[in-house]
Amino acid sequence: MRFSLILKVFFASLAGFAAGPGQAQSGAKPPLVAITAIVEHPALDAVRAGITAELAAQGYKQGESVRITFESAQGSTATAAQIARKIAGDAPAVAVGISTPSAQALAAAAKQVPLVYAAVTDPVAAGLIPAAGTPKEKITGVSDMSPLGDQVALIREILPGAKKLGVLFNPGEANSVALVAALKTVAAKAGFEVIEGPATKTADVQQAARSVLSKADAIYVPTDNTVVSAFEAVAAAGRQARKPVFAGDTASVAKGAVAAVGFDYDTVGRQAGALAARILKGEAPGAIPPEDARGTDLKVNPAAAAAIGLSLPAQVLARAKAL
Amino acid sequence: LSLLAAIGALETGLIFGLVAMGVYLTFRVLDFPDLTVDGSFPLGAAVAAALIVGGHGPFSALIMATAAGALAGLFTAWLNQRFQILHLLASILTMIALFSINVRIMGKPNIALIDTPSVADPFLAMAGPDWGKSLALAVAAALIWALLARFLASDLGLALRATGTNARMARAQGVDTRLMTYAGLALSNGIVALAGGLFAQVSGFADVTQGTGTIVVGLAAVILGETLLPSRRLWLALIAAVAGSVLYRFAVALALDSDGLGLQSSDLSLVTAAIVALALMAPRLRAEWRAKRQSQANGAKAP
C-alpha cells in the first residue's frame, strides 16, 4: 500500500516535470476543472452546484486549490462544439460535460482531456462509454437513468416474501423497453420473477393492471409516459386487489403509489464531483467505473399502504421524506 | 484566446459559412425569407448520422443529406407556389414538420458519431488533429462557393437573380419564376443540410434540437459580411457571408474568454451580441468621425 502511494507520488511529480517547461508560468496555478452544460435550467444547475459542493467537501476550494470554470452553450449545439474546442485548448485537469450534447461535444473535440459526464441518461447510446459500468480510456461519469437497483431493493425491503413482480409499460416507448429489459436482470438478482403487462395506450392501462395483478404480488410502474399518465387507474386496480403499487418516480406517490425512490440532480452532481476529485488525485478515468444516479429520494404513502392492509417497515419510514 | 479555441471558432464559422451562403441565396438573391433552414440543418445532420451508423460511407452520407435538404426546400416552395401560402408561413410549416421527421429518421433524439469515420479523416491524416477539421471544412466551403458563384453567373443563375430582383419583369422576359423559386429553395436548403451533415461528423453527434436559431446565425453572418465587405459582385458577397460567419464565431470565442471581466457564463449571448454590434457600428462611426474631422479641417482653412 505504502509502496503504491510512493509510486503514485513519483509518477505525479514526473508528470509535473514533464508538463513544466511547456507552461512554466502556470506551474504554480491550481488545477483547472472546466464544467460545461448545454443550457441553464434547474436540474442542470443543481448538478453543477452539486459538483462544486462535492469538490469543496473533498478539499478542492474554488480559487485556492482548484480553479473551476463554467460555460453554458445557452441552448446552442454549435456553441457547445465551440466551448468543447476552447476547453481542449485550456487543457484542464478534468472536464465535466453536463447533458448529452455537451458531453458528446467534449468527447469528440477534447480527446486528450479526462472527461466526467453528468446527467446523461444513456451514456452507452450517447457513444461515451462502450458498455454500462465500463469506462472509456479518458471518459467516466454519472448517468441520470432511473435507479432500478435501489427501487427493486426497496420493494424487496417492504415485501420480503414476494415472488412475482408485475411491470406495466408501453412496448412502443423505446425508453421503457430498455428499462424493462434492465429490470429483469436486476429483479432476478433480488429473487423476483417479472410479469410483463404491456399497454399501448392509456385506455388499456387499467385492464393490463388487473391482468398483471391476478398473477403478481405487486406492481412496479417504471417512468413510462403512457402508464404514468394513467397512474390513478393502476392505483385503483391495486386497492381493489389489495396489492401494493410501486413507482419509478416520486411524483406518483401522491397519486397512490405505496412508495418510490427517485434521485435528485444535486446527488448526481455530488457523484460526478466525487469522480472528478478522484481524477484530480491522480486516478485514471479509465480505471473509474461509471455510475448511475443513486436513489436517495425516498417517498412513502402510509395511507395508501394502510388501505390495502400493508404496514411499512420502520426503517423505511425512518429514511423516507414525508409525503 | 488559445489556439485551439481559435481553430474551433474557425471550424464552426466555416460550417455556418455554408449556412450563410444558403441564406444569402434565399434572402438576398431570391428575395424569399426562408425559415426552413432551422429544420434542414438538423435534417442534414440526422440523415448523415443515421446513414453513417447504418454503415454507409461519410461522403455518400453527405450527398444524401444534401438531397434530403433539397427535398425540404422543394416542399416549402410547393406550399408557397402551388397553394399561395405566404413564404414565411410556408417555411415555418416545413420547419415545424421537420422536427418530427428528424426524430423519425434517427429513431431517437440524438445519435453519437464519436468514433465513426468522417469526411475529415483524410484531412486529419494530412494536417494533424489540430488543423485537419478546419482544412476539410475550408475545402467544403471553397467548393460550394465556387459552384455557387459559377451557377449564379450562368443563364439559369441569371434567371434566378432576375426572379428575386423583379419577378414581373422576369416573367415578361420569359423566365419561369415558379421554377426558379423551386430551384433556389432546393439549392439553398441542400447547402444548409450539407452544413448540418458536416456539423454532425465534425462535432461528434446529431441532435434534433441543433437547428434552433440557425436562421438567426445565418442572417447575422450575411449582414455582418455585407457591412464589413460591401460589394455588388455576387462572388464577393458570398465570400463576405462566409467571412461574416467566421467573424461571428470569433465573437463567440472572445465572449467565452471574457470571464475575467466580472462576467458570468449566462452573459455569453449578451457579450456576443455586443461584439457583433460593435463590428457593425465601426465602419459607420469611422466614416462619421472622418467626415467630422474633414469639415473641421475645412472650417479651419476658411477665414
Side-chain angles (χ1 to χ4, degrees):
Chain A
M1 277 312 198
R2 271 285 155 75
F3 185 66
S4 72
L5 190 73
I6 293 170
L7 264 187
K8 220 178 256 172
V9 170
F10 175 73
F11 278 116
S13 53
L14 207 71
F17 275 119
Q23 25 182 252
Q25 287 172 320
S26 63
K29 273 192 187 173
L32 176 65
V33 175
I35 308 174
T36 176
I38 187 71
V39 74
E40 286 106 331
H41 80 61
L44 300 185
D45 291 349
V47 173
R48 176 190 164 197
I51 294 168
T52 332
E54 182 63 30
L55 282 173
Q58 300 228 8
Y60 291 102
K61 285 257 164 56
Q62 164 73 310
E64 292 169 24
S65 45
V66 72
R67 287 178 297 142
I68 303 173
T69 61
F70 175 75
E71 307 286 1
S72 155
Q74 308 216 304
S76 155
T77 47
T79 308
Q82 232 185 309
I83 289 174
R85 285 297 248 166
K86 172 192 152 63
I87 289 178
D90 293 345
V94 187
V96 184
I98 305 175
S99 76
T100 305
S102 284
Q104 284 173 322
L106 279 172
K111 288 202 158 100
Q112 301 310 312
V113 176
L115 169 62
V116 173
Y117 63 80
V120 173
T121 305
D122 191 344
V124 179
L128 295 167
I129 53 172
T134 314
K136 224 177 186 173
E137 191 196 345
K138 293 274 181 194
I139 308 176
T140 188
V142 185
S143 80
D144 59 0
M145 187 99 155
S146 215
L148 281 175
D150 296 320
Q151 288 165 354
V152 170
L154 176 73
I155 300 174
R156 179 47 85 208
E157 198 176 352
I158 295 175
L159 302 172
K163 290 195 177 63
K164 290 178 178 172
L165 180 63
V167 57
L168 292 178
F169 69 108
N170 178 356
E173 284 184 32
N175 220 359
S176 307
V177 174
L179 273 175
V180 171
L183 176 73
K184 280 185 185 163
T185 332
V186 175
K189 277 186 203 151
F192 282 113
E193 184 195 336
V194 173
I195 294 172
E196 294 179 27
T200 50
K201 46 184 195 289
T202 46
D204 300 343
V205 169
Q206 187 154 30
Q207 201 185 352
R210 288 218 178 100
S211 147
V212 166
L213 281 166
S214 67
K215 294 174 241 167
D217 301 316
I219 279 194
Y220 168 72
V221 175
T223 48
D224 177 285
N225 296 318
T226 309
V227 182
V228 170
S229 310
F231 197 87
E232 285 84 352
V234 183
R239 268 195 305 278
Q240 208 173 21
R242 297 185 67 79
K243 286 174 181 172
V245 175
F246 297 89
D249 65 304
T250 47
S252 292
V253 175
K255 295 185 198 159
V258 166
V261 58
F263 63 92
D264 54 55
Y265 279 92
D266 181 65
T267 312
V268 172
R270 284 197 162 262
Q271 285 176 264
L275 297 188
R278 284 171 69 179
I279 295 173
L280 284 176
K281 283 174 184 144
E283 276 188 70
I288 305 175
E291 299 174 4
D292 287 334
R294 245 173 252 143
T296 50
D297 190 20
L298 173 64
K299 287 212 169 76
V300 292
N301 187 339
I308 57 163
L310 177 75
S311 60
L312 295 168
Q315 66 265 37
V316 171
L317 287 173
R319 281 206 317 273
K321 291 174 190 159
L323 175 70
Chain B
L1 196 64
S2 73
L3 178 64
L4 278 183
I7 295 175
L10 182 63
E11 284 169 9
T12 321
L14 286 169
I15 292 173
F16 282 88
L18 288 170
V19 173
M21 285 196 276
V23 167
Y24 187 88
L25 197 62
T26 48
F27 271 74
R28 284 286 187 256
V29 178
L30 199 58
D31 197 23
F32 187 115
D34 177 29
L35 307 187
T36 315
V37 291
D38 269 29
S40 47
F41 185 73
L43 172 68
V47 169
L51 285 174
I52 289 173
V53 168
H56 290 261
F59 283 96
S60 59
L62 274 187
I63 291 167
M64 292 308 288
T66 311
L71 272 180
L74 285 177
F75 187 72
T76 300
W78 182 66
L79 288 178
N80 171 248
Q81 294 291 317
R82 173 72 179 76
F83 301 105
Q84 303 300 313
I85 298 175
L86 181 72
H87 40 36
L88 270 173
L89 186 59
S91 64
I92 288 173
L93 290 176
T94 314
M95 176 186 97
I96 296 172
L98 279 173
F99 186 92
S100 306
I101 291 172
N102 292 338
V103 177
R104 283 270 180 176
I105 290 172
M106 295 201 284
K108 50 187 176 180
N110 175 296
I111 290 184
L113 291 176
I114 289 169
D115 291 315
T116 48
S118 104
V119 288
D121 289 346
F123 298 93
L124 285 166
M126 202 192 313
D130 286 357
W131 289 98
K133 288 176 180 173
S134 309
L135 186 64
L137 293 167
V139 168
L143 200 71
I144 294 300
W145 167 77
L147 288 174
L148 208 53
R150 180 76 194 79
F151 168 75
L152 288 172
S154 71
D155 284 354
L156 196 62
L158 286 171
L160 192 94
R161 289 157 68 179
T163 304
T165 315
N166 188 338
R168 188 178 291 179
M169 187 67 142
R171 270 194 295 275
Q173 301 291 327
V175 171
D176 186 346
T177 54
R178 290 184 43 158
L179 185 71
M180 288 306 127
T181 308
Y182 279 101
L185 283 176
L187 197 58
S188 164
N189 284 288
I191 295 171
V192 172
L194 171 72
L198 281 169
F199 181 85
Q201 296 194 15
V202 167
S203 305
F205 63 97
D207 195 287
V208 282
T209 63
Q210 78 188 35
T212 325
T214 307
I215 185 63
V216 178
V217 176
L219 263 182
V222 167
I223 293 165
L224 200 56
E226 280 176 345
T227 314
L228 301 179
L229 258 168
S231 164
R232 294 181 66 84
R233 288 165 203 263
L234 264 180
W235 63 272
L236 253 175
L238 289 173
I239 291 183
V242 178
S245 168
V246 173
L247 220 70
Y248 178 84
R249 285 297 152 186
F250 269 95
V252 174
L254 280 177
L256 281 174
D257 236 25
S258 61
D259 26 321
L261 306 170
L263 297 162
Q264 56 188 37
S265 59
S266 53
D267 296 334
L268 172 66
S269 299
L270 176 67
V271 177
T272 308
I275 295 174
V276 173
L278 269 178
L280 290 173
M281 289 174 205
R284 187 171 192 98
L285 285 178
R286 202 174 51 191
E288 283 178 7
W289 182 60
R290 198 172 285 166
K292 204 172 168 186
R293 212 172 49 169
Q294 195 85 37
S295 68
Q296 269 172 357
N298 289 347
K301 252 179 240 161

